[in-house]
Amino acid sequence: MELNITINTDNGFIQHTMAMLCSLYENNKRHEIVVHVLQNNLSEESRKYLKDLTSRYDKKIVFYSVNESVLNGVQFRKNRPLSLAAYYRLLLSETLPQSLDKVLYLDCDTIVVQDISEIFQLEINDYALAATLDSFPYSNQHRNQLHMEADERTFCSGVMLVNLEYWRENNVTAGLLEYAKRHRREVYLHDQDVLNYYFKKKWFLLPPKWNRYATSSKAFRCCDYRFFDYREYTLSPIIYHYASVNIKPWYKGLSPRKGYYVKYLELSGYDKITYTPITLKHKIKFAYLSFRTQIAEIVREKLNIF
């Protein structure tokens, strides 16, 4: 089975992209994998790193140049600056080949720890995408901004099985860009808000094992899952996601699940590894969160509580 994966990246995120792709390749050696990279002005050095890694595992990688001019005017949160690459995923159906009808999108702050082929067997013909739950909206203002009902579920855009055929048939790109550029009193989750606004009630709910939050030992909203879902989320997740804004594994010091990132980064052959300095206060906080998360999982496993 050929597995088509797509990512967004830029030169500033190449180290983390190397760790993610290495984890994908290492744990899916028996599959044919094609990685579709959405980028703009990615340096030759960065491309070489990605090509060499991909060649070592006998996989394929294709680069696509994104026309950033169509993203002029997209809204950003003032206290959370992001690269414009965060919005590239809105252009998937316009950028990727027409021959592709389904693709797995992965954020570059994820680590794949198991075989992912199972997800490609899902039938999502009537859905725009498949994803796991997230915990937002964060406030009444956020919910009103997304025009969501009080009990509406929302998804995380960091791991998505995207139905490209649905996107093309429904010409979604124009609508996505319109909302991305719409003036909002406060911007909360950038492209994730855009996707949730536009695809309300048009997405397929994935089991939480597909998007295991590295800083949390508990999946969101227990009413939405079965017991075995929680067990898999805790004991045998397929993808770890370092989704927390302020706690990343490339910061100096301990952080929850940092070992996975370090393992695959070192295995990738990337030779310019750097870790971002942080204050002693943050080092203590990260170490505490890492310890608390591990203890919580041990207790749940021993008592069979998920």
PDB file of all heavy atoms in Angstrom, residues 191-224:
ATOM      1  N   ASP A 191      -4.988  28.601  11.704  1.00  0.00           N
ATOM      2  CA  ASP A 191      -5.571  27.722  10.694  1.00  0.00           C
ATOM      3  C   ASP A 191      -6.553  26.721  11.292  1.00  0.00           C
ATOM      4  O   ASP A 191      -7.510  26.306  10.650  1.00  0.00           O
ATOM      5  CB  ASP A 191      -4.466  26.955   9.971  1.00  0.00           C
ATOM      6  CG  ASP A 191      -3.721  26.029  10.913  1.00  0.00           C
ATOM      7  OD1 ASP A 191      -2.875  26.521  11.680  1.00  0.00           O
ATOM      8  OD2 ASP A 191      -3.999  24.820  10.903  1.00  0.00           O
ATOM      9  N   GLN A 192      -6.333  26.312  12.552  1.00  0.00           N
ATOM     10  CA  GLN A 192      -7.235  25.349  13.179  1.00  0.00           C
ATOM     11  C   GLN A 192      -8.627  25.946  13.356  1.00  0.00           C
ATOM     12  O   GLN A 192      -9.633  25.252  13.148  1.00  0.00           O
ATOM     13  CB  GLN A 192      -6.667  24.890  14.526  1.00  0.00           C
ATOM     14  CG  GLN A 192      -7.500  23.806  15.188  1.00  0.00           C
ATOM     15  CD  GLN A 192      -6.728  23.054  16.255  1.00  0.00           C
ATOM     16  OE1 GLN A 192      -5.727  22.405  15.986  1.00  0.00           O
ATOM     17  NE2 GLN A 192      -7.188  23.145  17.491  1.00  0.00           N
ATOM     18  N   ASP A 193      -8.692  27.208  13.707  1.00  0.00           N
ATOM     19  CA  ASP A 193      -9.989  27.882  13.788  1.00  0.00           C
ATOM     20  C   ASP A 193     -10.651  27.952  12.416  1.00  0.00           C
ATOM     21  O   ASP A 193     -11.863  27.756  12.285  1.00  0.00           O
ATOM     22  CB  ASP A 193      -9.808  29.300  14.338  1.00  0.00           C
ATOM     23  CG  ASP A 193      -9.754  29.337  15.858  1.00  0.00           C
ATOM     24  OD1 ASP A 193      -9.984  28.289  16.486  1.00  0.00           O
ATOM     25  OD2 ASP A 193      -9.475  30.421  16.403  1.00  0.00           O
ATOM     26  N   VAL A 194      -9.860  28.237  11.401  1.00  0.00           N
ATOM     27  CA  VAL A 194     -10.393  28.328  10.035  1.00  0.00           C
ATOM     28  C   VAL A 194     -11.040  27.008   9.627  1.00  0.00           C
ATOM     29  O   VAL A 194     -12.171  26.966   9.140  1.00  0.00           O
ATOM     30  CB  VAL A 194      -9.275  28.696   9.039  1.00  0.00           C
ATOM     31  CG1 VAL A 194      -9.827  28.688   7.607  1.00  0.00           C
ATOM     32  CG2 VAL A 194      -8.676  30.060   9.363  1.00  0.00           C
ATOM     33  N   LEU A 195     -10.320  25.913   9.829  1.00  0.00           N
ATOM     34  CA  LEU A 195     -10.814  24.596   9.428  1.00  0.00           C
ATOM     35  C   LEU A 195     -12.056  24.199  10.226  1.00  0.00           C
ATOM     36  O   LEU A 195     -13.005  23.627   9.678  1.00  0.00           O
ATOM     37  CB  LEU A 195      -9.710  23.557   9.600  1.00  0.00           C
ATOM     38  CG  LEU A 195      -8.531  23.710   8.632  1.00  0.00           C
ATOM     39  CD1 LEU A 195      -7.331  22.906   9.121  1.00  0.00           C
ATOM     40  CD2 LEU A 195      -8.917  23.276   7.226  1.00  0.00           C
ATOM     41  N   ASN A 196     -12.062  24.501  11.519  1.00  0.00           N
ATOM     42  CA  ASN A 196     -13.221  24.151  12.337  1.00  0.00           C
ATOM     43  C   ASN A 196     -14.428  25.012  12.008  1.00  0.00           C
ATOM     44  O   ASN A 196     -15.570  24.537  12.058  1.00  0.00           O
ATOM     45  CB  ASN A 196     -12.867  24.269  13.823  1.00  0.00           C
ATOM     46  CG  ASN A 196     -12.301  22.988  14.381  1.00  0.00           C
ATOM     47  OD1 ASN A 196     -13.028  22.088  14.771  1.00  0.00           O
ATOM     48  ND2 ASN A 196     -10.971  22.895  14.394  1.00  0.00           N
ATOM     49  N   TYR A 197     -14.205  26.258  11.675  1.00  0.00           N
ATOM     50  CA  TYR A 197     -15.314  27.119  11.273  1.00  0.00           C
ATOM     51  C   TYR A 197     -15.951  26.608   9.980  1.00  0.00           C
ATOM     52  O   TYR A 197     -17.175  26.500   9.870  1.00  0.00           O
ATOM     53  CB  TYR A 197     -14.819  28.554  11.083  1.00  0.00           C
ATOM     54  CG  TYR A 197     -15.849  29.474  10.475  1.00  0.00           C
ATOM     55  CD1 TYR A 197     -16.816  30.082  11.275  1.00  0.00           C
ATOM     56  CD2 TYR A 197     -15.870  29.728   9.101  1.00  0.00           C
ATOM     57  CE1 TYR A 197     -17.783  30.925  10.719  1.00  0.00           C
ATOM     58  CE2 TYR A 197     -16.822  30.562   8.539  1.00  0.00           C
ATOM     59  CZ  TYR A 197     -17.777  31.160   9.350  1.00  0.00           C
ATOM     60  OH  TYR A 197     -18.733  31.978   8.794  1.00  0.00           O
ATOM     61  N   TYR A 198     -15.108  26.282   9.024  1.00  0.00           N
ATOM     62  CA  TYR A 198     -15.617  25.933   7.695  1.00  0.00           C
ATOM     63  C   TYR A 198     -16.175  24.514   7.618  1.00  0.00           C
ATOM     64  O   TYR A 198     -17.125  24.256   6.884  1.00  0.00           O
ATOM     65  CB  TYR A 198     -14.496  26.104   6.664  1.00  0.00           C
ATOM     66  CG  TYR A 198     -15.009  26.174   5.246  1.00  0.00           C
ATOM     67  CD1 TYR A 198     -15.493  27.370   4.721  1.00  0.00           C
ATOM     68  CD2 TYR A 198     -15.021  25.043   4.439  1.00  0.00           C
ATOM     69  CE1 TYR A 198     -15.976  27.438   3.421  1.00  0.00           C
ATOM     70  CE2 TYR A 198     -15.511  25.104   3.141  1.00  0.00           C
ATOM     71  CZ  TYR A 198     -15.987  26.298   2.638  1.00  0.00           C
ATOM     72  OH  TYR A 198     -16.488  26.368   1.355  1.00  0.00           O
ATOM     73  N   PHE A 199     -15.578  23.593   8.391  1.00  0.00           N
ATOM     74  CA  PHE A 199     -15.980  22.185   8.280  1.00  0.00           C
ATOM     75  C   PHE A 199     -16.822  21.706   9.467  1.00  0.00           C
ATOM     76  O   PHE A 199     -16.787  20.531   9.819  1.00  0.00           O
ATOM     77  CB  PHE A 199     -14.741  21.300   8.133  1.00  0.00           C
ATOM     78  CG  PHE A 199     -14.011  21.482   6.835  1.00  0.00           C
ATOM     79  CD1 PHE A 199     -12.644  21.686   6.816  1.00  0.00           C
ATOM     80  CD2 PHE A 199     -14.698  21.463   5.623  1.00  0.00           C
ATOM     81  CE1 PHE A 199     -11.958  21.849   5.620  1.00  0.00           C
ATOM     82  CE2 PHE A 199     -14.024  21.629   4.419  1.00  0.00           C
ATOM     83  CZ  PHE A 199     -12.646  21.828   4.416  1.00  0.00           C
ATOM     84  N   LYS A 200     -17.590  22.600  10.060  1.00  0.00           N
ATOM     85  CA  LYS A 200     -18.480  22.204  11.154  1.00  0.00           C
ATOM     86  C   LYS A 200     -19.380  21.049  10.718  1.00  0.00           C
ATOM     87  O   LYS A 200     -20.025  21.109   9.668  1.00  0.00           O
ATOM     88  CB  LYS A 200     -19.349  23.388  11.599  1.00  0.00           C
ATOM     89  CG  LYS A 200     -18.625  24.406  12.457  1.00  0.00           C
ATOM     90  CD  LYS A 200     -19.577  25.435  13.058  1.00  0.00           C
ATOM     91  CE  LYS A 200     -20.148  26.374  12.041  1.00  0.00           C
ATOM     92  NZ  LYS A 200     -19.161  27.362  11.576  1.00  0.00           N
ATOM     93  N   LYS A 201     -19.387  19.985  11.527  1.00  0.00           N
ATOM     94  CA  LYS A 201     -20.247  18.815  11.315  1.00  0.00           C
ATOM     95  C   LYS A 201     -19.943  18.092  10.000  1.00  0.00           C
ATOM     96  O   LYS A 201     -20.765  17.309   9.520  1.00  0.00           O
ATOM     97  CB  LYS A 201     -21.719  19.216  11.378  1.00  0.00           C
ATOM     98  CG  LYS A 201     -22.115  19.832  12.712  1.00  0.00           C
ATOM     99  CD  LYS A 201     -23.568  20.243  12.756  1.00  0.00           C
ATOM    100  CE  LYS A 201     -23.914  20.872  14.105  1.00  0.00           C
ATOM    101  NZ  LYS A 201     -25.322  21.317  14.178  1.00  0.00           N
ATOM    102  N   LYS A 202     -18.782  18.344   9.436  1.00  0.00           N
ATOM    103  CA  LYS A 202     -18.393  17.690   8.181  1.00  0.00           C
ATOM    104  C   LYS A 202     -17.092  16.902   8.352  1.00  0.00           C
ATOM    105  O   LYS A 202     -16.388  16.641   7.388  1.00  0.00           O
ATOM    106  CB  LYS A 202     -18.225  18.734   7.069  1.00  0.00           C
ATOM    107  CG  LYS A 202     -19.498  19.501   6.755  1.00  0.00           C
ATOM    108  CD  LYS A 202     -19.236  20.615   5.768  1.00  0.00           C
ATOM    109  CE  LYS A 202     -20.504  21.440   5.527  1.00  0.00           C
ATOM    110  NZ  LYS A 202     -20.239  22.605   4.631  1.00  0.00           N
ATOM    111  N   TRP A 203     -16.785  16.559   9.618  1.00  0.00           N
ATOM    112  CA  TRP A 203     -15.547  15.826   9.861  1.00  0.00           C
ATOM    113  C   TRP A 203     -15.824  14.539  10.628  1.00  0.00           C
ATOM    114  O   TRP A 203     -16.789  14.415  11.360  1.00  0.00           O
ATOM    115  CB  TRP A 203     -14.532  16.698  10.605  1.00  0.00           C
ATOM    116  CG  TRP A 203     -14.965  17.217  11.940  1.00  0.00           C
ATOM    117  CD1 TRP A 203     -15.790  18.285  12.172  1.00  0.00           C
ATOM    118  CD2 TRP A 203     -14.601  16.700  13.224  1.00  0.00           C
ATOM    119  NE1 TRP A 203     -15.958  18.465  13.541  1.00  0.00           N
ATOM    120  CE2 TRP A 203     -15.238  17.514  14.201  1.00  0.00           C
ATOM    121  CE3 TRP A 203     -13.799  15.649  13.648  1.00  0.00           C
ATOM    122  CZ2 TRP A 203     -15.089  17.286  15.571  1.00  0.00           C
ATOM    123  CZ3 TRP A 203     -13.654  15.428  15.009  1.00  0.00           C
ATOM    124  CH2 TRP A 203     -14.287  16.244  15.947  1.00  0.00           C
ATOM    125  N   PHE A 204     -14.954  13.574  10.428  1.00  0.00           N
ATOM    126  CA  PHE A 204     -15.060  12.226  10.981  1.00  0.00           C
ATOM    127  C   PHE A 204     -14.186  12.141  12.232  1.00  0.00           C
ATOM    128  O   PHE A 204     -13.021  12.528  12.206  1.00  0.00           O
ATOM    129  CB  PHE A 204     -14.572  11.245   9.907  1.00  0.00           C
ATOM    130  CG  PHE A 204     -14.677   9.789  10.268  1.00  0.00           C
ATOM    131  CD1 PHE A 204     -15.761   9.025   9.851  1.00  0.00           C
ATOM    132  CD2 PHE A 204     -13.671   9.151  10.995  1.00  0.00           C
ATOM    133  CE1 PHE A 204     -15.841   7.672  10.150  1.00  0.00           C
ATOM    134  CE2 PHE A 204     -13.747   7.808  11.299  1.00  0.00           C
ATOM    135  CZ  PHE A 204     -14.831   7.064  10.879  1.00  0.00           C
ATOM    136  N   LEU A 205     -14.751  11.628  13.321  1.00  0.00           N
ATOM    137  CA  LEU A 205     -14.026  11.567  14.590  1.00  0.00           C
ATOM    138  C   LEU A 205     -13.111  10.352  14.651  1.00  0.00           C
ATOM    139  O   LEU A 205     -13.565   9.209  14.584  1.00  0.00           O
ATOM    140  CB  LEU A 205     -15.016  11.525  15.754  1.00  0.00           C
ATOM    141  CG  LEU A 205     -14.406  11.393  17.156  1.00  0.00           C
ATOM    142  CD1 LEU A 205     -13.531  12.606  17.471  1.00  0.00           C
ATOM    143  CD2 LEU A 205     -15.502  11.226  18.204  1.00  0.00           C
ATOM    144  N   LEU A 206     -11.814  10.592  14.814  1.00  0.00           N
ATOM    145  CA  LEU A 206     -10.824   9.524  14.955  1.00  0.00           C
ATOM    146  C   LEU A 206     -10.654   9.131  16.419  1.00  0.00           C
ATOM    147  O   LEU A 206     -10.840   9.956  17.320  1.00  0.00           O
ATOM    148  CB  LEU A 206      -9.465   9.983  14.425  1.00  0.00           C
ATOM    149  CG  LEU A 206      -9.284  10.163  12.919  1.00  0.00           C
ATOM    150  CD1 LEU A 206      -7.891  10.736  12.650  1.00  0.00           C
ATOM    151  CD2 LEU A 206      -9.467   8.843  12.193  1.00  0.00           C
ATOM    152  N   PRO A 207     -10.242   7.885  16.684  1.00  0.00           N
ATOM    153  CA  PRO A 207      -9.882   7.498  18.051  1.00  0.00           C
ATOM    154  C   PRO A 207      -8.708   8.351  18.541  1.00  0.00           C
ATOM    155  O   PRO A 207      -7.860   8.757  17.732  1.00  0.00           O
ATOM    156  CB  PRO A 207      -9.474   6.030  17.913  1.00  0.00           C
ATOM    157  CG  PRO A 207     -10.092   5.568  16.646  1.00  0.00           C
ATOM    158  CD  PRO A 207     -10.127   6.761  15.737  1.00  0.00           C
ATOM    159  N   PRO A 208      -8.623   8.610  19.823  1.00  0.00           N
ATOM    160  CA  PRO A 208      -7.589   9.525  20.334  1.00  0.00           C
ATOM    161  C   PRO A 208      -6.160   9.017  20.181  1.00  0.00           C
ATOM    162  O   PRO A 208      -5.217   9.796  20.278  1.00  0.00           O
ATOM    163  CB  PRO A 208      -7.966   9.687  21.812  1.00  0.00           C
ATOM    164  CG  PRO A 208      -8.745   8.457  22.143  1.00  0.00           C
ATOM    165  CD  PRO A 208      -9.512   8.121  20.899  1.00  0.00           C
ATOM    166  N   LYS A 209      -5.974   7.717  19.935  1.00  0.00           N
ATOM    167  CA  LYS A 209      -4.613   7.167  19.780  1.00  0.00           C
ATOM    168  C   LYS A 209      -3.880   7.790  18.602  1.00  0.00           C
ATOM    169  O   LYS A 209      -2.652   7.707  18.511  1.00  0.00           O
ATOM    170  CB  LYS A 209      -4.674   5.655  19.602  1.00  0.00           C
ATOM    171  CG  LYS A 209      -5.309   5.193  18.291  1.00  0.00           C
ATOM    172  CD  LYS A 209      -5.333   3.674  18.150  1.00  0.00           C
ATOM    173  CE  LYS A 209      -5.976   3.227  16.834  1.00  0.00           C
ATOM    174  NZ  LYS A 209      -5.986   1.743  16.706  1.00  0.00           N
ATOM    175  N   TRP A 210      -4.616   8.407  17.686  1.00  0.00           N
ATOM    176  CA  TRP A 210      -3.998   9.011  16.512  1.00  0.00           C
ATOM    177  C   TRP A 210      -3.389  10.376  16.802  1.00  0.00           C
ATOM    178  O   TRP A 210      -2.716  10.949  15.938  1.00  0.00           O
ATOM    179  CB  TRP A 210      -5.014   9.128  15.381  1.00  0.00           C
ATOM    180  CG  TRP A 210      -5.331   7.800  14.780  1.00  0.00           C
ATOM    181  CD1 TRP A 210      -6.442   7.020  15.012  1.00  0.00           C
ATOM    182  CD2 TRP A 210      -4.508   7.035  13.892  1.00  0.00           C
ATOM    183  NE1 TRP A 210      -6.363   5.848  14.326  1.00  0.00           N
ATOM    184  CE2 TRP A 210      -5.180   5.819  13.615  1.00  0.00           C
ATOM    185  CE3 TRP A 210      -3.270   7.270  13.290  1.00  0.00           C
ATOM    186  CZ2 TRP A 210      -4.647   4.851  12.777  1.00  0.00           C
ATOM    187  CZ3 TRP A 210      -2.740   6.305  12.450  1.00  0.00           C
ATOM    188  CH2 TRP A 210      -3.424   5.111  12.203  1.00  0.00           C
ATOM    189  N   ASN A 211      -3.633  10.901  17.980  1.00  0.00           N
ATOM    190  CA  ASN A 211      -3.113  12.234  18.293  1.00  0.00           C
ATOM    191  C   ASN A 211      -2.937  12.341  19.802  1.00  0.00           C
ATOM    192  O   ASN A 211      -3.704  13.005  20.484  1.00  0.00           O
ATOM    193  CB  ASN A 211      -4.081  13.301  17.785  1.00  0.00           C
ATOM    194  CG  ASN A 211      -3.453  14.672  17.708  1.00  0.00           C
ATOM    195  OD1 ASN A 211      -2.344  14.895  18.162  1.00  0.00           O
ATOM    196  ND2 ASN A 211      -4.189  15.615  17.130  1.00  0.00           N
ATOM    197  N   ARG A 212      -1.924  11.674  20.309  1.00  0.00           N
ATOM    198  CA  ARG A 212      -1.667  11.597  21.760  1.00  0.00           C
ATOM    199  C   ARG A 212      -0.906  12.840  22.198  1.00  0.00           C
ATOM    200  O   ARG A 212       0.231  13.063  21.793  1.00  0.00           O
ATOM    201  CB  ARG A 212      -0.849  10.339  22.054  1.00  0.00           C
ATOM    202  CG  ARG A 212      -0.268  10.266  23.461  1.00  0.00           C
ATOM    203  CD  ARG A 212      -1.366  10.007  24.474  1.00  0.00           C
ATOM    204  NE  ARG A 212      -0.884   9.295  25.629  1.00  0.00           N
ATOM    205  CZ  ARG A 212      -0.391   9.843  26.736  1.00  0.00           C
ATOM    206  NH1 ARG A 212      -0.297  11.153  26.831  1.00  0.00           N
ATOM    207  NH2 ARG A 212      -0.002   9.083  27.737  1.00  0.00           N
ATOM    208  N   TYR A 213      -1.566  13.672  22.990  1.00  0.00           N
ATOM    209  CA  TYR A 213      -0.924  14.903  23.450  1.00  0.00           C
ATOM    210  C   TYR A 213       0.192  14.575  24.434  1.00  0.00           C
ATOM    211  O   TYR A 213      -0.033  13.929  25.457  1.00  0.00           O
ATOM    212  CB  TYR A 213      -1.949  15.838  24.077  1.00  0.00           C
ATOM    213  CG  TYR A 213      -2.962  16.321  23.082  1.00  0.00           C
ATOM    214  CD1 TYR A 213      -4.221  15.730  22.991  1.00  0.00           C
ATOM    215  CD2 TYR A 213      -2.650  17.341  22.191  1.00  0.00           C
ATOM    216  CE1 TYR A 213      -5.140  16.157  22.040  1.00  0.00           C
ATOM    217  CE2 TYR A 213      -3.569  17.779  21.240  1.00  0.00           C
ATOM    218  CZ  TYR A 213      -4.812  17.178  21.178  1.00  0.00           C
ATOM    219  OH  TYR A 213      -5.726  17.592  20.233  1.00  0.00           O
ATOM    220  N   ALA A 214       1.395  15.018  24.120  1.00  0.00           N
ATOM    221  CA  ALA A 214       2.567  14.645  24.906  1.00  0.00           C
ATOM    222  C   ALA A 214       2.512  15.158  26.342  1.00  0.00           C
ATOM    223  O   ALA A 214       3.083  14.550  27.237  1.00  0.00           O
ATOM    224  CB  ALA A 214       3.833  15.160  24.220  1.00  0.00           C
ATOM    225  N   THR A 215       1.830  16.268  26.553  1.00  0.00           N
ATOM    226  CA  THR A 215       1.787  16.853  27.891  1.00  0.00           C
ATOM    227  C   THR A 215       0.576  16.420  28.698  1.00  0.00           C
ATOM    228  O   THR A 215       0.349  16.903  29.793  1.00  0.00           O
ATOM    229  CB  THR A 215       1.795  18.387  27.803  1.00  0.00           C
ATOM    230  OG1 THR A 215       0.688  18.808  26.993  1.00  0.00           O
ATOM    231  CG2 THR A 215       3.090  18.888  27.186  1.00  0.00           C
ATOM    232  N   SER A 216      -0.229  15.517  28.158  1.00  0.00           N
ATOM    233  CA  SER A 216      -1.437  15.093  28.852  1.00  0.00           C
ATOM    234  C   SER A 216      -1.520  13.574  28.904  1.00  0.00           C
ATOM    235  O   SER A 216      -1.206  12.894  27.938  1.00  0.00           O
ATOM    236  CB  SER A 216      -2.680  15.644  28.147  1.00  0.00           C
ATOM    237  OG  SER A 216      -3.860  15.117  28.710  1.00  0.00           O
ATOM    238  N   SER A 217      -1.957  13.046  30.036  1.00  0.00           N
ATOM    239  CA  SER A 217      -2.124  11.598  30.172  1.00  0.00           C
ATOM    240  C   SER A 217      -3.582  11.190  30.018  1.00  0.00           C
ATOM    241  O   SER A 217      -3.941  10.043  30.203  1.00  0.00           O
ATOM    242  CB  SER A 217      -1.617  11.138  31.550  1.00  0.00           C
ATOM    243  OG  SER A 217      -2.353  11.774  32.585  1.00  0.00           O
ATOM    244  N   LYS A 218      -4.434  12.137  29.658  1.00  0.00           N
ATOM    245  CA  LYS A 218      -5.869  11.867  29.571  1.00  0.00           C
ATOM    246  C   LYS A 218      -6.440  12.439  28.277  1.00  0.00           C
ATOM    247  O   LYS A 218      -6.152  13.574  27.912  1.00  0.00           O
ATOM    248  CB  LYS A 218      -6.588  12.498  30.775  1.00  0.00           C
ATOM    249  CG  LYS A 218      -8.071  12.182  30.853  1.00  0.00           C
ATOM    250  CD  LYS A 218      -8.664  12.807  32.105  1.00  0.00           C
ATOM    251  CE  LYS A 218     -10.150  12.503  32.236  1.00  0.00           C
ATOM    252  NZ  LYS A 218     -10.735  13.127  33.437  1.00  0.00           N
ATOM    253  N   ALA A 219      -7.229  11.663  27.584  1.00  0.00           N
ATOM    254  CA  ALA A 219      -7.875  12.137  26.368  1.00  0.00           C
ATOM    255  C   ALA A 219      -9.048  13.044  26.735  1.00  0.00           C
ATOM    256  O   ALA A 219      -9.582  12.979  27.838  1.00  0.00           O
ATOM    257  CB  ALA A 219      -8.357  10.963  25.531  1.00  0.00           C
ATOM    258  N   PHE A 220      -9.475  13.870  25.799  1.00  0.00           N
ATOM    259  CA  PHE A 220     -10.541  14.817  26.065  1.00  0.00           C
ATOM    260  C   PHE A 220     -11.918  14.175  26.020  1.00  0.00           C
ATOM    261  O   PHE A 220     -12.162  13.256  25.274  1.00  0.00           O
ATOM    262  CB  PHE A 220     -10.498  15.964  25.054  1.00  0.00           C
ATOM    263  CG  PHE A 220      -9.265  16.812  25.156  1.00  0.00           C
ATOM    264  CD1 PHE A 220      -8.334  16.832  24.142  1.00  0.00           C
ATOM    265  CD2 PHE A 220      -9.040  17.578  26.284  1.00  0.00           C
ATOM    266  CE1 PHE A 220      -7.202  17.612  24.235  1.00  0.00           C
ATOM    267  CE2 PHE A 220      -7.911  18.362  26.392  1.00  0.00           C
ATOM    268  CZ  PHE A 220      -6.991  18.385  25.357  1.00  0.00           C
ATOM    269  N   ARG A 221     -12.819  14.679  26.838  1.00  0.00           N
ATOM    270  CA  ARG A 221     -14.249  14.377  26.791  1.00  0.00           C
ATOM    271  C   ARG A 221     -14.550  12.881  26.797  1.00  0.00           C
ATOM    272  O   ARG A 221     -14.755  12.241  25.775  1.00  0.00           O
ATOM    273  CB  ARG A 221     -14.869  15.040  25.566  1.00  0.00           C
ATOM    274  CG  ARG A 221     -14.786  16.546  25.635  1.00  0.00           C
ATOM    275  CD  ARG A 221     -15.311  17.230  24.394  1.00  0.00           C
ATOM    276  NE  ARG A 221     -16.726  16.940  24.175  1.00  0.00           N
ATOM    277  CZ  ARG A 221     -17.523  17.701  23.438  1.00  0.00           C
ATOM    278  NH1 ARG A 221     -17.057  18.796  22.881  1.00  0.00           N
ATOM    279  NH2 ARG A 221     -18.767  17.375  23.268  1.00  0.00           N
ATOM    280  N   CYS A 222     -14.575  12.330  28.008  1.00  0.00           N
ATOM    281  CA  CYS A 222     -14.740  10.886  28.168  1.00  0.00           C
ATOM    282  C   CYS A 222     -16.024  10.351  27.532  1.00  0.00           C
ATOM    283  O   CYS A 222     -16.093   9.183  27.158  1.00  0.00           O
ATOM    284  CB  CYS A 222     -14.705  10.528  29.649  1.00  0.00           C
ATOM    285  SG  CYS A 222     -16.006  11.305  30.629  1.00  0.00           S
ATOM    286  N   CYS A 223     -17.039  11.182  27.388  1.00  0.00           N
ATOM    287  CA  CYS A 223     -18.308  10.696  26.848  1.00  0.00           C
ATOM    288  C   CYS A 223     -18.208  10.334  25.367  1.00  0.00           C
ATOM    289  O   CYS A 223     -19.087   9.672  24.826  1.00  0.00           O
ATOM    290  CB  CYS A 223     -19.401  11.739  27.053  1.00  0.00           C
ATOM    291  SG  CYS A 223     -19.049  13.339  26.279  1.00  0.00           S
ATOM    292  N   ASP A 224     -17.147  10.771  24.716  1.00  0.00           N
ATOM    293  CA  ASP A 224     -17.026  10.541  23.282  1.00  0.00           C
ATOM    294  C   ASP A 224     -16.280   9.270  22.917  1.00  0.00           C
ATOM    295  O   ASP A 224     -16.226   8.907  21.753  1.00  0.00           O
ATOM    296  CB  ASP A 224     -16.312  11.729  22.623  1.00  0.00           C
ATOM    297  CG  ASP A 224     -17.172  12.975  22.607  1.00  0.00           C
ATOM    298  OD1 ASP A 224     -18.227  12.938  21.959  1.00  0.00           O
ATOM    299  OD2 ASP A 224     -16.815  13.966  23.254  1.00  0.00           O
TER     300      ASP A 224
END
